[in-house]
Amino acid sequence: LFAVQEGYVAINDQRENDLRKALEALALLPFEQARQRVLALAEREEMRANWVWAKLDRAPLARAIAHLRFLVEAQAEFSGGQDWIGLANGYTRKGWEVDVAALHALALVRKPADLQAVGAALRGVYHPWLEKLAHTAQAHAASYPNRNVQSARSLAPTAGTVFVFVDGLRYDLGKLLAVELETAGIKVALGHEWAALPTVTATAKPAWKPLGSSLGGTG
């Protein structure tokens, strides 16, 4: 049956329209119900990502639902922990995959209606997860491991070493960068540290020596 349906663009277009409506409805569902709905929609629709119409960019939502499914599955495996070490371990193991899946789902859609549908889906299955994670972090704010520039990092460059400063290189983006570098044949060792708090330019940039002395002001 699916092989027969694949041959008709009208069938693909109708299923895209149906999927668009289903994604838009996710924003109105309770979190767990929305997550289960994403899994059910992916089971039915993500196969169309392999249809010829997807190659002709006529099934972007079928491709996006696969990333939304991955987002939901990564959430289920994420464990935030009860302290900053636990949060870091949980995020570097699985949490970053949730953020990357959201980025990939958004990157696949261009039309305003499709972008609205994926945005609604993310409000249903992604925003509550972010909010819970933010509340967990807020509860531990008093013991944040890098609260000010006084705990600035020390860089010790040696011959043959180059330090590159990147503003706002979140861990999820760092993982994607590492993949790009490894694909180019570069050996990568990935580490992480908590940013200075608050994570704004005036605090975070001076927290990196030897930039701190140049960025310090009298105001």
Side-chain angles (χ1 to χ4, degrees), residues 4-158:
V4 173
Q5 290 186 353
E6 183 178 356
Y8 295 90
V9 66
I11 292 178
N12 173 76
D13 290 350
Q14 182 59 54
R15 290 179 62 169
E16 274 289 286
N17 290 334
D18 293 343
L19 180 55
R20 185 179 300 109
K21 294 176 182 177
L23 292 176
E24 290 175 350
L26 291 176
L28 303 176
L29 296 178
F31 178 53
E32 188 56 37
Q33 189 175 341
R35 295 174 74 250
Q36 295 305 314
R37 180 63 173 150
V38 162
L39 296 177
L41 289 170
E43 179 71 20
R44 169 179 163 77
E45 298 296 341
E46 69 177 69
M47 66 179 65
R48 290 191 297 107
N50 297 317
W51 286 11
V52 64
W53 312 115
K55 296 179 176 63
L56 296 175
D57 201 26
R58 296 192 66 143
L61 296 179
R63 299 173 63 196
I65 193 65
H67 290 289
L68 293 174
R69 172 186 57 79
F70 187 78
L71 181 151
V72 168
E73 292 174 345
Q75 285 176 343
E77 296 183 48
F78 171 75
S79 176
Q82 299 301 316
D83 52 28
W84 292 108
I85 294 176
L87 283 169
N89 290 341
Y91 190 82
T92 56
R93 187 183 70 84
K94 211 67 184 177
W96 69 273
E97 294 183 0
V98 179
D99 287 331
V100 165
L103 291 175
H104 284 166
L106 285 170
L108 288 170
V109 291
R110 299 182 183 88
K111 296 179 181 179
D114 291 343
L115 185 60
Q116 179 177 327
V118 173
L122 291 176
R123 285 195 297 275
V125 300
Y126 182 48
H127 180 267
W129 181 82
L130 289 176
E131 191 169 42
K132 181 179 179 181
L133 191 59
H135 285 305
T136 300
Q138 187 177 20
H140 301 301
S143 60
Y144 190 76
N146 189 20
R147 293 183 57 84
N148 53 56
V149 297
Q150 300 305 317
S151 57
R153 300 160 178 83
S154 177
L155 303 180
T158 58

